[in-house]
Structures are given as C-alpha cells and as structure tokens.
C-alpha cells in the first residue's frame, strides 16, 4: 500500500512539474517568408526549424508565406538568429516580428516613419511575376521603403498599385527596389544573379526593356 | 445466298475497325469535397482509397463521398504514398522515415508500421515519395536531390542537384514500371525516366511551362503529371507527346492515380478529390 502511495505522490510531483513546464513564458515569432510555393517547401522550412529545441505551435500559411511559432522566453532568441535559420533552410525572410512574453514587440520594420495621408499619391507600375510568393516579394520590396504607405500587386494584371509620399520616396526608387528583389519592371531589369536565385516557381518570363 | 454473308462479314470488319479507331479522352465528372483533409498523396490498396493528409499528420481511408473510414495518426508529414493489395507504403518528410503499413489486429489502432532499412551511405533528408513495384522500392529523397532504388537485392542512388539530364531540382514523386523509374522533377518542371541501373532514358514536359511538377502517375499508355501552380494536369504519351491538358476542377493539385478507369486527382489546398472519366473524343475521325 505504501508503495502505491509513493508512486501516486511521485506522479503528482512529476505532473505538477510538467504542468509548470507547459505554462512557462513563451515569445511569439512571426516571420513572412519568401519561397513557400507548395507543401514540400513549407514542411521543409518546418523541418529545419525543428533544430530549435523547445519550439511550439509552428504554423505555416503556404499562400502568404506567413510562418509563426512560440519559443521559450528564457532562451531570448533574437530576430537575427531566426533570420539566419530561415536563410539556412534555403528561404528568404521578408519581415519578422517578435512579441516577447513580457509584451514588448520587436520588428524588422522598426524605424519606418509615419506618413501623413494628405501627402500620399497613387500610381500603378507594371511588374513581372508569377504567383502568390511573387506578390509577397514585390509588395514587400516596395513597402520596406520609407515613404511608401501601401503596395498591392495583382497576379492577373501584373500591376503594382502604390500609395506613397513623393517628397520621401520617388517612383524610380520604388521600381529599383522591386527590381533589386528579382522582379522586372518596365523601367528596371532585375539582375541576372538575383533572378536566378528566385524560387523556381517564381521564375517568370523576363520583360523586354 | 453467298452475298448476304459477304455483306455481313464486311459490315462486321468495318464496324470493328471503326471501334478500334475511337479515341478516348479524359472528361471531368465531379468534385468530391474532403472535409478537413489536405491531401498530398493518393494510393489504391486493393479496393480501398487512401490519402496522406500532410497538414494533419495522418493517412486516411475515404469512401466515395470523401468521408473518412479509417485513420492512421501521429505520423510526421506523410507525403506521396503507394500501396499494393496488402501494404501501404509511406514516406514521412518530417522524420526521414520510410515504412510499410499492414493491418494488424494486435495493434491498438489496427495497423502495424514497419520502417525500411535503406541501404545507402547518407541518411534521407525529407523523403517526398515512395514507390513499390514487384518487390522493388524507390524513394524520392527531396533535399538530397536523388532517387534511391532497391531492386530487391541491392540499393543504388542516382542524381544530384542540377538542370542537366539525369539531375534534379527537388524530386517530389517517383513511380516504378516494368522497365523504368519515373520521377517528377518538381522545380525543373519536367518528368524524367531512368532504367533500373539509374541511367537516364528520357524526359518530357520540359517545354510545357509547368510550374512545380508535384505528382505523377504512369499507366500503360500515358504519363500524367500535376502542374501545381498552373492548376492543371498534363497527359502525355510515353514518348512525351502532349495528349491533353485538364483544367476543370483542378486547383493546386499534388497527386493523381487511375483506379477502375477513373482518374482521381487531389487538390491539396482546397481539400478536394476531382474525378475524370474516359469518353470518346467528340471530333473523332473514322476510317
């Protein structure tokens, strides 16, 4: 009988420890990743992230490239470490954000100036691309610039609709940023090297310049 | 009296010629919604239809209405599967394991999973597909850009990353037939075929502007491939001539099989099973 009581006590102690472990503080990581064309790519990214011990709640949206996971706050994983791991897995992180367990937020987009809506103008630019992943890459290449308020690319029309403050950023600069990400515009051709590094599903037919 | 017989014989010969000349083509029949399943692989185990549900880490047997009859859970990203009358053959992307699964009443879930020993030097890195044919096995080793093949006695490995003949850029599916090993060379957007020593024999689809050739099925007369991003299935002759392009109902398809003369295509994202049947070509020409 004693033995049974001891076993129950031990189980109780182990149970309470594991309960404590489940409740430990977790940071939430959100990364938008370029190049998740299909489940094969998405599961591949997940597989490479399993190298982080303690990772939980891994979620991947193949269409948008949104990738999120929880990680123990005590490990203080940095944005840089996450970025490196995404690159190691063969993908390109576009934006990343951490919501720490204590409520603070860190983002790769920190430092962007706030825009005054009355200074914004709208324009459309033709940009070559194929798929949802192209869309994410093109839009982010524009949005990452200071002065760009909104950017939306259509897979059907191939038009990038922009809203931006011309006193802060020029259309030339936006087109150049998009071309630097690997996508031809009417006025700017992406470098061969960058184009070749695009995921295979994103390698569109080049535009005549 | 002779004439009626001659006429009858001539008529029979002509009608039989006409029948032989009839050309068949795949025609859309219907779409079956698979509730809560995101299928990646499909296989027929005897009369049973099985799907791998990668997002939910399980294999499921479904009925004609897309309802789940049986489930094998707690797998790690099961991908393309294969089957014969007795076994399911499973490739798990997440834990680099390939196995067979047989029914076993002594197991709590009714199935026994037996991992294969793979006789090659380096370990697998994300096996995307396994194929079984007459005691032969083949595995598409995704991140290692190679195919592993066991002829029942010895394992061989062939292929490396690249765009040339015999090279791969992420192979996602494999099938063995009498004399060839067929590979869906996903991001080179083509199908390649090899002999059983691993020597390149032929390729097809490279001129069709595919965007991720994710799954293939080879029948006696045709080679069928899912063109994932372009939302279509391409049907080739064995010599690589394009016969048909199927688009109706197809959306981000990952795999396909022909079972009982019906083409079964699975849409990963929308969780659907799309069925095509064979019908006479509408613009047929007779002798």
């Amino acid at each position: 009988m004693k033995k049974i009581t001891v076993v129950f006590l031990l189980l109780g102690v182990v149970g309470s420890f594991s309960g404590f472990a489940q409740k430990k503080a977790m940071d939430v990581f959100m990364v938008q990743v370029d190049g998740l064309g299909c489940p094969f790519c998405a599961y591949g990214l997940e597989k490479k992230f399993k190298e982080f011990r303690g990772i939980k709640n891994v979620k991947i949206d193949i269409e948008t490239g949104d990738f999120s996971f929880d990680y123990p706050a005590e490990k203080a994983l940095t944005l840089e470490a996450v970025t490196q791991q995404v690159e190691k897995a063969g993908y390109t992180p576009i934006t990343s954000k951490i919501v720490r367990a204590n409520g603070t937020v860190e983002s790769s987009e920190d430092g962007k100036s706030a825009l005054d809506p009355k200074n914004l103008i709208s324009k459309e630019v033709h940009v070559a691309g194929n798929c949802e992943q192209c869309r994410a890459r093109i839009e982010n290449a524009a949005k990452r610039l200071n002065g760009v308020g909104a950017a939306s690319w259509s897979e059907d029309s191939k038009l990038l609709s922009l809203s931006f403050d011309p006193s802060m950023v020029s259309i030339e600069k936006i087109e150049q940023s998009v071309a630097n990400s690997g996508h031809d515009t009417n006025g700017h051709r992406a470098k061969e090297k960058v184009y070749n590094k695009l995921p295979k599903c994103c390698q569109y037919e080049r535009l005549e310049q | 009296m002779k004439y009626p017989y001659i006429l009858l014989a001539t008529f029979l010969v002509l009608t039989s010629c006409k029948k032989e000349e009839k050309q068949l083509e795949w025609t859309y029949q219907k779409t079956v919604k698979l509730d809560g399943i995101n299928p990646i692989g499909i296989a027929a185990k005897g009369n049973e239809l099985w799907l791998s549900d990668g997002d939910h880490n399980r294999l499921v047997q479904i009925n004609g209405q897309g309802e789940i009859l049986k489930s094998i859970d707690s797998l790690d990203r099961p991908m393309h599967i294969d089957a014969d009358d007795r076994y399911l053959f499973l490739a798990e992307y997440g834990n680099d394991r390939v196995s067979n699964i047989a029914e076993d009443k002594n197991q709590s879930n009714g199935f026994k999973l037996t991992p294969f020993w793979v006789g090659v030097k380096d370990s697998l890195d994300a096996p995307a597909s396994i194929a079984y044919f007459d005691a032969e096995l083949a595995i598409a080793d995704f991140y290692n850009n190679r195919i592993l093949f066991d002829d029942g006695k010895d394992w061989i490995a062939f292929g490396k990353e690249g765009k040339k003949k015999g090279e791969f850029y992420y192979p996602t599916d494999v099938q063995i037939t009498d004399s060839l090993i067929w590979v869906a060379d996903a991001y080179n957007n083509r199908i390649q075929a090899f002999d059983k020593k691993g020597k390149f024999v032929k390729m097809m689809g490279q001129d069709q502007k595919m965007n991720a050739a994710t799954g293939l099925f080879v029948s006696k007369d045709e080679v069928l491939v899912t063109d994932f991003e372009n939302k279509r299935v391409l049907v080739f002759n064995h010599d690589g001539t394009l016969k048909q392009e199927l688009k109706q109902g197809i959306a981000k398809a990952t795999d396909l099989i022909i079972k009982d003369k019906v083409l079964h295509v699975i849409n990963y994202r929308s969780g659907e099973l799309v069925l095509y049947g064979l019908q006479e070509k509408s613009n047929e020409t007779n002798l």
Side-chain angles (χ1 to χ4, degrees), chain B:
Chain B
M1 190 61 194
K2 267 185 186 173
Y3 286 112
Y5 289 115
I6 292 168
L7 277 172
L8 181 64
T10 313
F11 173 74
L12 286 172
V13 168
L14 281 174
T15 46
S16 69
C17 283
K18 194 176 174 181
K19 265 184 188 167
E20 279 173 16
E21 283 306 307
K22 278 178 187 170
Q23 286 193 344
L24 299 173
E25 66 180 5
W26 292 109
T27 308
Y28 174 80
Q29 286 184 337
K30 65 174 178 177
T31 297
V32 178
K33 184 70 189 161
L34 305 167
D35 197 20
I37 304 170
N38 294 106
I40 291 180
I42 182 167
K45 179 174 171 269
N47 288 322
E48 302 170 1
L49 197 60
W50 283 83
L51 306 173
S52 63
D53 182 4
D55 282 9
H56 303 100
N57 293 306
R58 61 183 179 171
L59 299 186
V60 290
Q61 185 199 340
I62 58 163
N63 64 15
Q65 288 74 51
E67 297 161 342
I68 297 173
L69 302 175
K70 288 178 188 171
S71 178
I72 303 171
D73 300 312
S74 304
L75 303 173
D76 195 349
R77 301 303 188 199
M79 305 303 270
H80 286 295
I81 54 177
D82 202 355
D84 66 2
D85 288 343
R86 231 183 119 196
Y87 294 103
L88 285 162
F89 297 90
L90 165 72
E92 286 173 276
Y93 203 76
N95 60 11
D96 301 328
R97 183 171 67 171
V98 286
S99 333
N100 69 33
I101 299 175
E103 290 195 27
D104 184 345
K105 286 176 186 168
N106 296 322
Q107 305 294 320
S108 56
N109 67 350
F111 293 95
K112 186 180 181 188
L113 185 148
T114 309
F116 286 112
W117 174 80
V118 179
V120 290
K121 268 186 186 175
D122 312 310
S123 57
L124 299 172
D125 192 356
S129 176
I130 183 166
Y132 178 82
F133 178 79
D134 199 16
E136 298 172 334
L137 273 179
I139 298 161
D141 192 6
F142 186 81
Y143 276 114
N144 287 325
N145 284 294
R146 64 180 181 172
I147 299 296
L148 308 178
F149 176 66
D150 174 17
D151 65 2
K153 293 176 189 167
D154 300 307
W155 285 91
I156 59 166
F158 57 91
K160 61 175 184 174
E161 184 181 329
K163 293 180 176 183
K164 294 177 192 162
K165 287 176 185 174
E167 296 177 341
F168 304 117
Y169 200 63
Y170 301 114
T172 48
D173 200 6
V174 63
Q175 188 180 332
I176 310 166
T177 55
D178 277 332
S179 56
L180 295 173
I181 303 161
W182 301 80
V183 182
D185 186 8
Y187 290 99
N188 276 332
N189 305 308
R190 64 188 180 185
I191 302 296
Q192 295 197 72
F194 300 83
D195 70 15
K196 292 187 179 177
K197 302 284 178 199
K199 189 181 164 197
F200 172 83
V201 175
K202 59 184 167 185
M203 69 167 88
M204 58 187 69
Q206 67 278 7
D207 52 351
Q208 296 300 324
K209 296 191 175 174
M210 281 194 277
N211 197 344
T214 45
L216 88 160
F217 184 83
V218 183
S219 68
K220 186 173 154 281
D221 302 313
E222 295 175 333
V223 180
L224 301 99
V225 59
T226 51
D227 182 2
F228 185 79
E229 292 287 353
N230 291 326
K231 300 168 188 168
R232 59 183 182 161
V233 166
L234 299 182
V235 184
F236 298 93
N237 285 332
H238 275 225
D239 65 5
T241 307
L242 182 67
K243 281 177 73 178
Q244 223 186 323
E245 179 190 38
L246 312 179
K247 282 195 160 180
Q248 193 173 353
I250 310 293
K252 306 249 173 182
T254 45
D255 203 5
L256 69 182
I257 57 165
I258 298 172
K259 179 179 179 289
D260 302 329
K261 296 186 180 174
V262 175
L263 173 60
H264 297 62
V265 185
I266 43 173
N267 290 337
Y268 162 73
R269 184 80 180 167
S270 52
E272 291 165 337
L273 173 66
V274 184
L275 304 179
Y276 278 73
L278 281 171
Q279 274 191 6
E280 279 177 42
K281 241 181 171 178
S282 49
N283 56 348
E284 71 174 48
T285 49
N286 296 320
L287 271 176

Side-chain angles (χ1 to χ4, degrees), chain A residues 126-142:
Chain A
H126 185 82
V127 181
N130 278 342
C131 59
E132 281 294 307
Q133 296 312 305
C134 295
R135 184 181 64 74
R137 191 181 308 108
I138 291 164
E139 290 177 358
N140 279 287

Side-chain angles (χ1 to χ4, degrees), chain A residues 38 40 43 46-47 201 205, chain B residues 55 77 93 125 187 211:
Chain A
C38 62
F40 299 89
Y43 299 162
E46 176 193 64
K47 187 168 189 276
C201 58
E205 279 192 51
Chain B
D55 282 9
R77 301 303 188 199
Y93 203 76
D125 192 356
Y187 290 99
N211 197 344

